[in-house]
Amino acid sequence: MAKFEQKKPRITRREILKAGAATSVALASAVSAPAILAASRAPLKIGVLNTFSGPAASTGDWNWSGINVYLDEVRSTFAGRKVELVKEDDQFNPQIGLEKVRKFVQNDGVDLIVGPQGSNVALAVLNYVKQNKIFLVISGAGTDAITWERVPYMFRSSLAAWQLCHPLAEWIYDNLATEMLVISEDYAAGHDIAAEVTTPFIAKGGKIIKEMYVPTTVTDYSPYLTDIRSLNPPVVYNFSTGGAHAIRFVQQWAQSGIKARLAGFAGFVDATTIEQQGRAALGVLSSTIYTETLDNPVNQKFVAAYREKTKEYPNLFSDYGYVSMQLIDATLRATDGDASNKDKFAEAMAKAQFDAPRGPFRFDPVTHNPIQNVYICEEEEKDGRLVTAIIDTRKDVKAPPTKNG
């Protein structure tokens, strides 16, 4: 039987070049696919709700600066997705805050919301957030009531009042005095903080001489200071919203001639208040999760970048903003840039761990509240500048999961 040899078709030079080009394109596509995919993804839209007007406006401005320092660092890109911010002012007003959250959801179509600073605003939006399954990263509000909630898509990247109050109250009892007077602002967080200071102090055997509550609109503290002077307490603990409120109180305190030691919540005396408080702030005690004097590589980088951008030193509220972005970025990288599946996004956020300017950051998986270091501080003068110096550190402070611990 004769063999028939099949004649192979001749391949032209043009076909060889065409095939080679196609192979090159395919190879390039395979190599750069993740980059192309990332570039084609829709931007991550974040609604930023904070107080940008009124007496507490500076706290929102500092938070906003911290946010933008981090975004500059990563070129406004998380896991290959560009970040778009929608900024709204809640005016420290619960009703306005709720209106802004509705706008974020109904009009702006944000992927998640960051903020607010005011605990009164946070509590006002809580039900709407739960009912509509909104992803919320609380980057300020410290009311303990949020810690006790079990909202799957709500996390707090700042702190719970308990974390700052208990360590300082115990430190005061152990190191300063067994009697204390507490003066606080008259709104949700103010009452929370007063309770969180008095409870551990009394539990150790201390006595609370008096509790005072001051409307947030007060600018003249002289009637309250007169009352304090007449009671002659050894220590006075103050809570104010920071900024202008804290500046006025410390200035008027110094003018009052009261001899008691003065202590306060984070932001009462720090990098942005002591310049105006001046030497009146010397010796004032506070508890915080952040001060610009922290000696760690992340904070050193943060301070340098913040100084370059704002010409100021960062403070607690600046750290709030920066860490909120660190957290979202870390979570988005863990989900390969996908924030659409809220259950998976929440699972990844609960596992997030990283080094922040304030120190090691991780979540309590039960409360979605941070487990973090708390620093007992005193205002000192160093190299001709007033600074918030750390005099004691309480590591891995964790707020209790319920009101009763």
Side-chain angles (χ1 to χ4, degrees), residues 220-395:
D220 179 8
Y221 296 99
S222 56
Y224 303 95
L225 295 173
T226 298
D227 195 7
I228 291 172
R229 189 187 301 108
S230 69
L231 294 169
N232 193 31
V235 178
V236 172
Y237 182 94
N238 172 276
F239 170 75
S240 68
T241 52
H245 292 214
I247 291 167
R248 289 192 194 100
F249 188 90
V250 171
Q251 288 174 336
Q252 292 175 34
W253 171 273
Q255 294 165 2
S256 73
I258 297 172
K259 301 302 181 184
R261 290 299 301 271
L262 180 60
F265 198 76
F268 182 52
V269 280
D270 70 3
T272 56
T273 61
I274 54 178
E275 185 175 337
Q276 290 174 273
Q277 290 165 338
R279 298 186 68 81
L282 282 173
V284 177
L285 301 162
S286 64
S287 55
T288 188
I289 57 169
Y290 178 79
T291 170
E292 84 280 4
T293 59
L294 277 164
D295 187 15
N296 67 64
V298 179
N299 187 48
Q300 290 168 355
K301 181 180 178 182
F302 173 53
V303 171
Y306 194 92
R307 292 272 293 153
E308 183 178 354
K309 188 175 185 68
T310 68
K311 312 305 179 189
E312 297 177 343
Y313 284 92
N315 60 78
L316 175 69
F317 304 102
S318 316
D319 171 85
Y320 281 172
Y322 187 92
V323 174
S324 69
M325 295 297 107
Q326 268 192 299
L327 172 62
I328 297 168
D329 187 11
T331 305
L332 209 62
R333 281 187 275 113
T335 61
D336 193 28
D338 183 14
S340 61
N341 187 321
K342 292 182 181 179
D343 290 331
K344 289 184 178 179
F345 197 71
E347 182 181 356
M349 186 167 283
K351 295 176 181 176
Q353 294 189 39
F354 51 85
D355 290 326
R358 68 183 70 159
F361 181 100
R362 73 183 195 277
F363 276 116
D364 178 341
V366 176
T367 64
H368 290 179
N369 202 73
I371 300 171
Q372 55 198 345
N373 295 344
V374 171
Y375 309 103
I376 310 299
C377 303
E378 183 175 7
E379 298 308 304
E380 297 179 355
E381 189 168 12
K382 183 179 181 181
D383 300 327
R385 187 173 76 89
L386 294 174
V387 297
T388 304
I390 297 170
I391 59 176
D392 196 6
T393 300
R394 304 297 171 94
K395 292 188 175 182

Side-chain angles (χ1 to χ4, degrees), residues 123-174:
L123 292 173
V125 307
L126 191 57
N127 282 337
Y128 184 81
V129 166
K130 287 193 290 187
Q131 290 168 4
N132 293 275
K133 298 182 178 179
I134 299 164
F135 212 104
L136 173 64
V137 175
I138 295 176
S139 64
T143 179
D144 288 307
I146 291 172
T147 310
W148 308 323
E149 292 287 340
R150 296 293 180 269
V151 183
Y153 307 140
M154 184 174 73
F155 291 77
R156 175 156 49 191
S157 60
S158 52
L159 55 82
W162 190 99
Q163 292 178 290
L164 298 191
C165 296
H166 275 238
L168 182 56
E170 292 174 346
W171 189 91
I172 289 171
Y173 182 89
D174 292 338

